[in-house]
């Protein structure tokens, strides 16, 4: 057994009168990857924000290398070698990679910023981590995955000995995840101790040495990974509550009369993404599988009017339609639950309620006035909270104060309230816990059962296989196949299909 590099003892934290952490103990051993696991709102991010000085604790003690420390702010944490990669990325998009890495600690020469020295040093730091990219590129030109790696490089350049990764893979593709895991193993070899937060059990089982499980702000257990398995972790996670339904695929009846709800023909989105043709039947759940960058998101964005099509036709219920804006798309009955919920899905300064009812406002007016019925809108928001099991103490809470997974549920509630004809979901379960995933999948099925159409994009093949009736595969901007779910026998088969160019 190694020695404890960090100990948190008896940590308590409340926001207002809501107690979020209750007498939590947490010990990180030197050089280990320690998974912190728990449902949405269990208190994982809050515990780590206390460790990194973002939040102050109400009571409790923190020790680093056996020495009592008083971490009041992020500067104190940094001085103690602690860094955190947040659930929400924090790079400045308009600055270069190198400028971001040295932000606030620029290398100077005779009083001026030494840009070439910073570029050179940034390159070395990145190369050490096996990342080969030009440090002069602006961050807004990078994929989410690459931004994530840059954040890590930035933390490491500050000599962090303790690194917290809060759901780092929620928006990464499979291959980016592989790269991240390589970096984590490299850091571990260099003696960095890490806390790893994730809702993906396969990641936890493959990367961590020890696991701590939080439930409703209480520590349930800490144990070495050898003593745990998937079933044990899940049973600690959900506690005495009803046992979790596994996401098992069930064949659905949907094509009785083969009515088409949507027909996309020869859609051209860019020089790379073209000849996109597919059909969606009433009641069908259609999956789109492909690697990151293959064009999945672009197809959804075009149907939702965020991108302009360069050619081809879109037919809704047998009639050709023209979608020039999101307003058009919404009017025709499309809904899009976007991949990047913080940027596109929510108004962060507003309450849970005003976010949930946003697309539905017109239906909440009193008589012929422009006044919103307070009673009707409160009822709707309260229903959403119950239906999707959204964890918040009130519908009036500001949405950015909800935990990550609960924010995602509000996005889904918002679009369901609009009662769309076609629901498009782009990685909807990124960052939501197992319980909520099962709920979201149930919601998708029920929605399709009403004879509506669903288009579902996910990098998690297990998920596609558990919910879709049919899956189309795309490779490098072209559709390469359409397979009925019942003809797919394993995840591997699908994995192979998405990696083939024909
Ligand atoms: N600044 C804040 N003000 C008020 N409440 C907060 C604040 N930050 C967090 N909370 C509440 O504390 C609880 C725990 O949130 P936390 O973000 O720690 O959960 P989490 O375990 O990280 O969940 P997730 O898996 O969804 O990210 C939630 O109910 C959340 O709404
Ligand atoms: Mg969190």
């Amino acid at each position: 057994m190694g020695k404890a590099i960090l100990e948190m003892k008896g940590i308590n934290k409340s926001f207002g009168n809501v107690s979020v952490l209750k007498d939590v103990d947490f010990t990180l051993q030197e050089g280990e990857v320690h998974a912190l696991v728990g449902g949405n709102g269990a208190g994982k991010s809050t515990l780590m924000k206390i460790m990194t000085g973002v939040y102050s604790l109400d009571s409790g003690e923190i020790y680093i290398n056996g020495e009592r420390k008083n971490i009041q702010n992020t500067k104190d944490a940094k001085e103690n070698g602690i860094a955190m990669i947040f659930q929400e990325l924090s790079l400045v998009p308009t600055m270069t990679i190198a400028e971001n890495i040295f932000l606030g600690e620029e290398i100077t020469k005779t009083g001026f910023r030494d840009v070439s020295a910073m570029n050179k040093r940034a390159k070395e730091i990145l190369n050490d981590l096996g990342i080969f990219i030009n440090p002069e590129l602006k961050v807004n030109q990078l994929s989410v995955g690459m931004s994530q790696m840059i954040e890590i490089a930035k933390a490491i350049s500050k000599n962090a000995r303790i690194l917290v990764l809060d759901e780092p893979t929620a928006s990464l593709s499979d291959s980016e995840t592989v790269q991240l895991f390589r970096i984590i193993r490299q850091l571990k070899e260099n003696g960095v101790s890490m806390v790893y937060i994730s809702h993906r059990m396969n990641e936890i089982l493959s990367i961590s040495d020890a696991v701590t499980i939080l439930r409703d702000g209480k520590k349930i257990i800490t144990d070495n990974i050898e003593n745990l398995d998937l079933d044990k972790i899940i049973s600690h996670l959900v506690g005495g509550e009803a046992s979790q339904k596994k996401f098992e695929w069930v064949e659905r009846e949907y094509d009785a009369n083969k009515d088409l709800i949507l027909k996309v023909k020869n859609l051209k989105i860019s020089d790379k993404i073209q000849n996109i043709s597919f059909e969606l039947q009433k009641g069908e759940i259609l999956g789109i599988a492909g690697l990151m960058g293959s064009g999945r998101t672009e197809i959804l964005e075009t149907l939702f009017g965020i991108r302009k099509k360069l050619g081809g036709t879109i037919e809704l219920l047998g009639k050709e339609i023209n979608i020039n804006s999101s307003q058009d798309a919404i009017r025709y009955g499309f809904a899009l639950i976007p991949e990047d919920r913080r940027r596109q899905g929510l108004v962060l300064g507003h309450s849970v309620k005003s976010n949930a009812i946003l697309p539905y406002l017109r239906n909440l007016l009193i008589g012929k006035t422009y006044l919103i019925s307070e009673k009707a809108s409160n009822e709707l928001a309260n229903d959403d909270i119950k239906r999707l099991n959204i964890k918040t103490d009130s519908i009036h809470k500001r949405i950015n104060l909800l935990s990550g997974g609960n924010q995602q549920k509000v996005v889904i509630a918002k679009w369901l309230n609009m009662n769309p004809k076609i629901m498009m979901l782009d990685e909807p379960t990124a960052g939501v816990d197992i319980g909520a995933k099962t709920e979201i999948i149930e919601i998708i099925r029920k929605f399709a059962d009403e004879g509506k159409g669903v288009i579902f994009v996910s990098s998690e093949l297990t998920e596609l296989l558990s919910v879709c009736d049919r899956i189309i595969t795309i490779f490098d901007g072209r559709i390469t196949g359409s397979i009925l779910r019942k003809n797919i026998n394993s995840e591997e088969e699908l994995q192979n299909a998405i990696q083939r160019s024909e």
Side-chain angles (χ1 to χ4, degrees):
M1 200 69 214
K3 77 178 196 352
I5 184 163
L6 178 124
E7 283 170 283
M8 300 177 87
K9 290 187 186 166
I11 305 291
N12 284 290
K13 176 74 184 172
S14 298
F15 292 106
N17 50 18
V18 184
S19 163
V20 171
L21 293 173
K22 297 155 194 151
D23 201 24
V24 173
D25 294 332
F26 178 77
T27 302
L28 181 65
Q29 305 290 342
E30 188 156 32
E32 75 175 353
V33 177
H34 195 127
L36 186 56
V37 184
N40 292 131
K44 303 177 297 294
S45 297
T46 304
L47 184 67
M48 290 301 110
K49 283 179 178 168
I50 287 174
M51 177 171 133
T52 52
V54 177
Y55 291 153
S56 59
L57 41 74
D58 296 343
S59 65
E61 294 164 5
I62 300 178
Y63 296 84
I64 293 172
N65 287 320
E67 204 180 309
R68 175 100 187 249
K69 295 280 179 184
N70 191 358
I71 298 175
Q72 303 267 24
N73 49 43
T74 50
K75 189 167 154 278
D76 291 345
K78 213 192 254 175
E79 279 167 12
N80 283 292
I82 305 174
M84 178 158 171
I85 311 294
F86 292 94
Q87 228 165 336
E88 321 76 45
L89 296 178
S90 58
L91 299 175
V92 185
T94 51
M95 289 185 167
T96 69
I97 295 174
E99 283 167 339
N100 267 288
I101 290 180
F102 293 103
L103 189 65
E105 292 168 20
E106 284 82 2
I107 303 177
T108 54
K109 197 160 110 190
T110 59
F112 292 97
R113 286 183 344 135
D114 188 344
V115 176
S116 68
M118 286 192 282
N119 286 337
K120 184 160 169 274
R121 181 71 195 115
K123 199 167 177 153
E124 287 165 8
I125 293 168
L126 292 165
N127 289 357
D128 278 352
L129 289 174
I131 305 167
F132 300 94
I133 190 168
N134 178 0
E136 294 170 58
L137 283 178
K138 290 226 167 88
V139 164
N140 58 16
Q141 293 170 278
L142 308 178
S143 67
V144 184
M146 187 49 82
S147 311
Q148 194 88 265
M149 318 278 172
I150 304 300
E151 291 246 14
I152 294 176
K154 179 176 172 175
I156 295 310
S157 73
K158 310 278 186 303
N159 295 320
R161 304 302 299 158
I162 297 172
L163 181 64
V164 181
L165 298 145
D166 195 352
E167 292 189 40
T169 59
S171 23
L172 298 194
S173 65
D174 288 354
S175 60
E176 286 174 319
T177 300
V178 170
Q179 199 184 357
L180 176 71
F181 277 22
R182 193 183 51 66
I183 290 175
I184 290 177
R185 293 200 177 95
Q186 177 67 53
L187 291 172
K188 192 171 141 175
E189 229 158 78
N190 301 351
V192 177
S193 314
M194 283 165 276
V195 181
Y196 187 86
I197 301 179
S198 177
H199 292 292
R200 297 187 173 165
M201 295 301 144
N202 54 346
E203 294 179 359
I204 288 159
L205 293 168
S206 86
I207 198 82
S208 56
D209 302 302
V211 181
T212 289
I213 296 172
L214 290 183
R215 185 177 352 121
D216 296 329
K218 293 197 200 99
K219 188 188 104 166
I220 303 298
I221 189 181
T222 296
D223 208 340
N224 288 339
I225 195 75
E226 298 87 58
N227 303 328
L228 294 166
D229 58 27
L230 182 62
D231 287 339
K232 281 186 192 149
I233 295 177
I234 291 180
S235 76
H236 286 306
L237 264 178
V238 297
E241 286 169 36
S243 67
Q244 291 292 310
K245 283 172 264 168
K246 289 243 168 73
F247 354 119
E248 256 155 34
W249 180 66
V250 273
E251 189 163 1
R252 298 173 52 255
E253 287 291 327
Y254 68 91
D255 56 354
N257 49 10
K258 297 219 186 260
D259 262 352
L260 286 190
I261 189 162
L262 182 75
K263 185 172 180 174
V264 173
K265 225 171 129 191
N266 289 330
L267 195 65
K268 178 171 179 181
I269 299 172
S270 64
D271 287 340
K272 195 180 119 184
I273 310 169
Q274 52 176 320
N275 283 322
I276 302 292
S277 299
F278 64 89
E279 296 176 346
L280 180 68
Q281 287 168 14
K282 282 189 176 169
E284 187 181 27
I285 304 175
L286 176 69
I288 303 185
L291 304 173
M292 188 93 143
S294 57
R296 303 171 309 188
T297 298
E298 288 81 352
I299 294 173
L300 299 193
E301 287 181 349
T302 309
L303 291 174
F304 198 62
I306 297 174
R307 278 166 198 273
K308 239 182 136 47
K309 69 174 163 65
L310 303 178
T313 56
I314 300 169
E315 278 177 29
L316 179 71
L317 294 166
K319 265 199 228 121
E320 188 174 338
I321 55 169
N322 246 322
I323 303 170
N324 290 314
S325 65
S326 301
Q327 278 84 349
D328 285 354
I330 292 170
R331 208 153 12 86
Y332 286 123
F334 287 86
L336 173 64
I337 294 172
E339 189 179 11
D340 180 356
R341 59 175 170 266
R342 293 184 68 87
R343 219 162 39 206
Q344 300 167 5
L346 294 171
V347 187
L348 290 175
H350 287 190
S351 67
V352 171
K353 171 179 142 185
S354 62
N355 272 286
I357 67 174
L358 198 61
Y360 193 71
L361 286 180
R362 225 175 314 149
N363 302 306
L364 294 170
L365 297 178
I366 305 173
K368 288 198 159 42
T369 70
Y370 283 101
L371 298 172
I372 306 283
S373 160
E374 190 64 25
K375 185 162 167 279
S377 54
N378 286 352
E379 272 172 14
L380 180 66
N382 277 314
D383 272 0
D384 289 337
I385 289 177
K386 252 196 247 127
R387 189 161 52 135
L388 294 185
N389 203 359
I390 297 169
K391 196 169 172 190
T392 173
D393 39 312
S394 136
I395 55 172
H396 305 293
K397 189 160 178 151
R398 272 211 341 257
I399 193 96
N400 54 352
L401 301 181
L402 258 59
S403 78
N406 284 300
Q407 291 184 15
Q408 178 72 348
K409 291 197 207 171
V410 177
V411 179
I412 295 179
K414 165 178 147 176
W415 290 106
L416 281 175
N417 286 338
M418 227 191 57
N419 198 15
K421 293 191 182 77
I422 298 176
M423 170 110 80
M424 303 188 283
L425 306 101
D426 197 353
E427 306 281 0
T429 66
V432 307
D433 61 33
I434 304 192
K437 268 184 196 167
T438 321
E439 283 162 31
I440 290 172
I441 286 177
E442 276 305 307
I443 292 165
I444 295 174
R445 285 202 185 113
K446 271 201 207 117
F447 179 82
D449 284 345
E450 291 168 21
K452 297 166 172 178
V454 176
I455 307 179
F456 186 84
V457 166
S458 174
S459 314
E460 283 190 71
L461 302 186
T462 340
E463 219 168 85
L464 283 175
L465 289 171
S466 69
V467 69
C468 298
D469 304 308
R470 185 164 59 95
I471 297 173
I472 54 177
T473 51
I474 56 174
F475 186 89
D476 213 17
R478 273 155 224 274
I479 293 188
T480 51
S482 162
I483 327 168
L484 286 176
R485 168 64 181 89
K486 61 175 180 235
N487 297 334
I488 305 177
N489 298 311
S490 68
E491 195 172 317
E492 257 183 336
E493 246 179 74
L494 181 59
Q495 183 72 43
N496 290 335
I498 65 177
Q499 271 156 336
R500 269 199 307 266
S501 52
E502 41 212 292

